[in-house]
Amino acid sequence: MIADTTLLLRLYWKIDRRADGGTRRASRLIALLGTLLLVIVSVVVGYLASTLVSGAFLIQVPAEVLPGIMFTVILFGVVFLGFSQALQALYLSDDMEKLQVAPLHPQAIMTAKVLSRTPSTISFMFLAAIPALIAFGIGLGLGLAFYILGILLVLITPLFGISFGALIAIFMVRLLPARRLNEWVGAASIVIGLLLSMIFAIPSMMGGGQTQIDQDILRSAETFLAHLADLPLPSMWVGRALVEFGKGQMVASAFGSLGTYLLITVGLFLITVFLANRLYTAGWLRMQSSGAPMEDIHERPGLFGRNSLDFMLGYKDWLLRVRDPRLLATLFSSV
């Protein structure tokens, strides 16, 4: 299984590198500038987070809260990406017919498909989270264990979102057609982007030009962030464990939190690979045998038989907007 998985992953990653290598020089320059900007923003965020812990910037919060929030965002933020990737790779790719009959291990095919886009995900997480984590540790003067364990956990954490999203896709395809489900995923991404842009615009609409901030609001924010440390989330536990390791406090609770986090992330991925393969195969075979019958198209008079061609084309376009959720989400965003 390991040899088949390695072979497929190497081929998929080689295809991605060739596709990226064909981009224009201007696109490479824009990507380089975007990467540099992302690293700078990440460093600034990590430094500001360390000032919140020391109390030098408006409010003071416990040190374990901010790493826990970062791992929580990574843990659950990749679920939607994993769902979309699994849907595209497992059900809508054009090479599954050949792979299913090839002399390859079934678990190897599913593992390679689920991890085929992992390098891009890991690269983005590395650029967005690692500089902030390093700046945060330097600002608090934490030890070497904080950086080593933090980098390893950032690289491992996306496995939870990828595997959990794949499980959701496997079960959802048994209820809805894969192509129809892909349309709803595209619509959901458009609506989520719209909602995020509206959330970022709220401060300016609520009077963001004020120079003074209400002290009650600051105290409420401080209390809210402090209560986040008490949430029963493995990501918050591992944030506390990282800070304890960075301070040299090798306590049993820190090792227990780290082991629980690894069990949830890596364990769920192994469960997905070994136990969900049969569900996936059954859903894929069901999708192959559920093709819609072809219907002959005949010219016959109808409601719009005497209307102009422009009217019929316009009516058809509006029907398409209602049928395709992505076009409907675009219309909703415009409104």
Side-chain angles (χ1 to χ4, degrees):
M1 173 185 170
I2 297 178
D4 293 340
T5 305
T6 305
L7 174 63
L8 291 175
L9 285 176
R10 188 168 65 249
L11 293 176
Y12 281 131
W13 294 345
K14 183 181 294 185
I15 292 174
D16 291 340
R17 287 198 305 269
R18 290 180 178 178
D20 296 336
T23 56
R24 295 179 298 177
R25 186 174 301 176
S27 300
R28 294 180 181 178
L29 180 60
I30 293 174
L32 181 61
L33 293 177
T35 301
L36 182 61
L37 179 62
L38 180 62
V39 173
I40 293 175
V41 171
S42 179
V43 171
V44 172
V45 170
Y47 175 75
L48 292 178
S50 65
T51 60
L52 292 179
V53 175
S54 61
F57 184 74
L58 298 179
I59 62 176
Q60 185 175 8
V61 297
E64 64 269 13
V65 172
L66 299 172
I69 292 176
M70 184 190 71
F71 283 107
T72 302
V73 172
I74 298 176
L75 195 70
F76 296 101
V78 190
V79 173
F80 185 80
L81 180 62
F83 173 79
S84 177
Q85 166 60 24
L87 189 63
Q88 293 285 340
L90 295 177
Y91 296 99
L92 300 178
S93 60
D94 55 357
D95 60 347
M96 286 306 301
E97 291 85 354
K98 298 178 182 178
L99 291 176
Q100 290 289 346
V101 298
L104 298 172
H105 202 280
Q107 278 81 12
I109 297 174
M110 186 171 184
T111 305
K113 280 292 185 177
V114 171
L115 297 179
S116 59
R117 299 298 298 175
T118 302
S120 58
T121 304
I122 296 295
S123 299
F124 178 79
M125 293 298 171
F126 188 88
L127 295 174
I130 297 299
L133 197 68
I134 294 176
F136 179 80
I138 293 175
L140 295 182
L142 299 177
L144 184 62
F146 175 83
Y147 307 104
I148 296 177
L149 292 176
I151 293 174
L152 292 177
L153 290 176
V154 168
L155 298 179
I156 293 174
T157 299
L159 291 178
F160 175 85
I162 292 173
S163 55
F164 190 61
L167 286 176
I168 297 176
I170 290 173
F171 282 102
M172 288 295 294
V173 168
R174 303 176 72 89
L175 302 176
L176 293 173
R179 299 189 182 279
R180 188 64 172 173
L181 193 59
N182 185 51
E183 294 176 356
W184 283 105
V185 170
S189 62
I190 295 173
V191 174
I192 291 174
L194 172 66
L195 294 178
L196 289 177
S197 63
M198 292 176 65
I199 290 174
F200 287 122
I202 286 177
S204 62
M205 292 188 294
M206 298 296 291
Q210 297 178 357
T211 56
Q212 295 182 352
I213 302 177
D214 192 353
Q215 294 298 321
D216 294 336
I217 298 178
L218 292 178
R219 298 286 80 79
S220 299
E222 183 176 343
T223 304
F224 173 75
L225 290 175
H227 285 325
L228 288 179
D230 299 328
L231 291 178
L233 292 176
S235 52
M236 304 304 297
W237 301 341
V238 81
R240 184 183 302 110
L242 275 179
V243 174
E244 291 176 351
F245 281 125
K247 294 180 180 179
Q249 301 173 359
M250 304 296 180
V251 295
S253 60
F255 286 99
S257 299
L258 184 62
T260 303
Y261 191 77
L262 292 176
L263 182 63
I264 290 176
T265 53
V266 181
L268 181 61
F269 177 75
L270 294 177
I271 290 174
T272 302
V273 170
F274 287 99
L275 298 184
N277 181 68
R278 181 171 299 180
L279 291 174
Y280 161 67
T281 304
W284 183 81
L285 292 175
R286 176 174 170 269
M287 186 185 70
Q288 300 301 313
S289 61
S290 61
M294 298 294 293
E295 295 183 359
D296 294 332
I297 300 177
H298 300 285
E299 182 180 357
R300 56 182 180 271
L303 180 61
F304 305 104
R306 301 185 189 87
N307 290 318
S308 64
L309 179 61
D310 295 337
F311 180 84
M312 289 186 290
L313 289 177
Y315 182 75
K316 182 265 299 180
D317 289 340
W318 278 103
L319 289 180
L320 182 61
R321 281 188 177 273
V322 176
R323 193 205 70 82
D324 194 337
R326 293 169 295 185
L327 297 179
L328 191 61
T330 304
L331 178 63
F332 170 74
S333 302
S334 303
V335 173

